[in-house]
Amino acid sequence: MTTAPRSSAPSGSTSPRTRTEVVLPGLVAPDGLVVRSVPLAAPAAGRVVVEVGATGVSFAEQQMRRGKYYDQPAFPFVPGYDLVGTVVATGPGVADDLRGRRVAAVTGTGGWASHVEVDAADALPVPDGLDPAAVETVLVNGVTAWQMLHDVARVPASGTVLVLGANGGVGSTLVQLARHAGLRVLGTAAPRHHALLRRLGAEVLDAADPALHEQVDTLAPDGVDAVFDHVGGAGIRRSWRHVGRRGVLVSYGTAATKDASGPAQLPVLLLFARLAVWNAVPDGRRATFYNFWAGRRRAERFRARQHTAFAAVAALLASGDLVPQIAARFPLEEAARALALAESRTVAGKVVLTPTSTAR
């Protein structure tokens, strides 16, 4: 990973004047990321500067590195889907008492930095006493899992769900939320993750077993109430086969096509078309695609839904009912190593970056 020259910081102020950031300059390997220090401007009206305590490596950044994320910005840019930290500066129109508050925010991009400016209305309050890295594991992952389970799937009490990639950040959170709701969980993962998932309460299946789908049929002969599928690709047809009467397939990614050639939008559009065809058949089953950003044009309602879901998972984290799955922690400056590890597909949970200033 390349380190760019550092800019000189203006003196005479106790407020942060520079920030460290990790830049994705183009279609590069993980070691092509660039770390640099740049001036930090005062926040604009309605916005705050957050000193980042933790940010994460998600599948989105892995796709962005390949230029394959559906709506990623043009290169170069700072990746980083979400963050947890402390407000250190407020812009005009923002209450001064927000300064010093611990918050979380979903940014889409820009989170891989020591300080990040966000809209004050997007700052989610973080309960006291929680490790920022632990909170990071249940920010986008937790909101996604909560909304898919409770708002989209709406699985009946004592129902059964199938979670593909149950060892991942979203998957391991889904397993825990579903078990907390009293549901039976079938989860797929590589054998090295089976012990962990059993501790979380899942009935575990080897994701690479050629007889996987026959095993699911044996365990749930009438089908399951919900399948959560982040894989997409040709395998989505097998997921649909496991959906029982009045059940739902919740698709939330296209991991199987991450290295496919062609436009980044094509796999998603093909998936949408397939889901639409299935929904046109009046057999009582549903197929849907979960998009974290759906409905954001209605900003007030979108933020309210985020606040509700995050508050719920943060409360479960604080009570110990939700156990954070932290795969590894790296200083921000070692983002290249963190990204390479996340892409290795050998870890359970989330790889977390901790900016040096807050990790010590």
Side-chain angles (χ1 to χ4, degrees):
M1 181 162 63
T2 304
T3 302
R6 295 182 176 271
S7 303
S8 59
S11 59
S13 173
T14 58
S15 300
R17 303 303 298 272
T18 63
R19 76 174 198 154
T20 302
E21 63 183 22
V22 180
V23 179
L24 183 56
L27 300 176
V28 298
D31 61 7
L33 294 172
V34 175
V35 179
R36 67 185 183 188
S37 183
V38 297
L40 177 65
R47 296 174 68 82
V48 298
V49 171
V50 178
E51 182 178 35
V52 179
T55 180
V57 183
S58 67
F59 185 70
E61 287 88 32
Q62 299 171 43
Q63 289 293 79
M64 289 176 187
R65 183 183 71 77
R66 298 171 170 85
K68 292 293 183 180
Y69 195 70
Y70 187 81
D71 58 353
Q72 70 184 77
F75 296 116
F77 64 92
V78 177
Y81 215 85
D82 55 5
L83 60 91
V84 180
T86 303
V87 175
V88 293
T90 57
V94 179
D96 286 340
D97 63 3
L98 191 58
R99 191 175 305 178
R101 299 277 185 89
R102 300 180 72 220
V103 298
V106 181
T107 54
T109 58
W112 287 8
S114 62
H115 299 81
V116 178
E117 182 180 323
V118 302
D119 195 312
D122 292 329
L124 302 165
V126 173
D128 292 334
L130 294 179
D131 174 11
V135 178
E136 168 62 26
T137 68
V138 298
L139 187 40
V140 164
N141 288 348
V143 170
T144 295
W146 178 274
Q147 291 182 342
M148 289 197 301
L149 182 66
H150 294 289
D151 298 341
V152 179
R154 301 188 297 276
V155 178
S158 72
T160 298
V161 301
L162 172 62
V163 179
L164 303 189
N167 60 291
V170 174
S172 59
T173 306
L174 259 173
V175 169
Q176 295 184 76
L177 292 179
R179 292 297 297 139
H180 186 264
L183 305 179
R184 180 191 183 199
V185 179
L186 310 180
T188 72
R192 60 181 170 272
H193 303 305
H194 286 190
L196 166 65
L197 292 172
R198 289 192 183 99
R199 289 196 298 271
L200 296 181
E203 298 174 45
V204 192
L205 301 167
D206 185 350
D209 191 329
L212 168 64
H213 297 283
E214 288 73 16
Q215 293 172 18
V216 174
D217 290 338
T218 300
L219 292 169
D222 296 323
V224 298
D225 296 288
V227 178
F228 298 96
D229 186 322
H230 72 294
V231 181
I236 197 76
R237 292 193 295 265
R238 291 188 292 270
S239 291
W240 179 242
R241 193 188 83 183
H242 294 308
V243 178
R245 188 166 177 264
R246 292 191 294 274
V248 57
L249 166 62
V250 183
S251 171
Y252 65 103
T254 56
T257 61
K258 65 184 178 64
D259 294 318
S261 59
Q265 297 85 351
L266 184 58
V268 178
L269 295 176
L270 291 174
L271 175 60
F272 286 173
R274 180 168 285 151
L275 299 181
V277 169
W278 288 336
N279 279 327
V281 178
D283 61 1
R285 298 184 296 170
R286 293 184 292 130
T288 186
F289 186 85
Y290 171 84
N291 175 8
F292 183 92
W293 298 104
R296 60 180 165 175
R297 291 183 179 178
R298 300 178 65 178
E300 186 173 339
R301 181 179 179 186
F302 176 78
R303 286 167 173 153
R305 290 179 63 243
Q306 271 199 14
H307 274 261
T308 298
F310 178 69
V313 294
L316 291 174
L317 184 65
S319 68
D321 291 308
L322 185 59
V323 179
Q325 301 303 309
I326 302 173
R329 306 181 193 224
F330 290 88
L332 180 67
E333 290 83 355
E334 295 183 22
R337 288 181 57 210
L339 182 57
L341 178 63
E343 292 189 6
S344 71
R345 300 180 65 186
T346 62
V347 297
K350 190 159 190 177
V351 176
V352 177
L353 296 172
T354 54
T356 302
S357 61
T358 53
R360 292 175 177 170

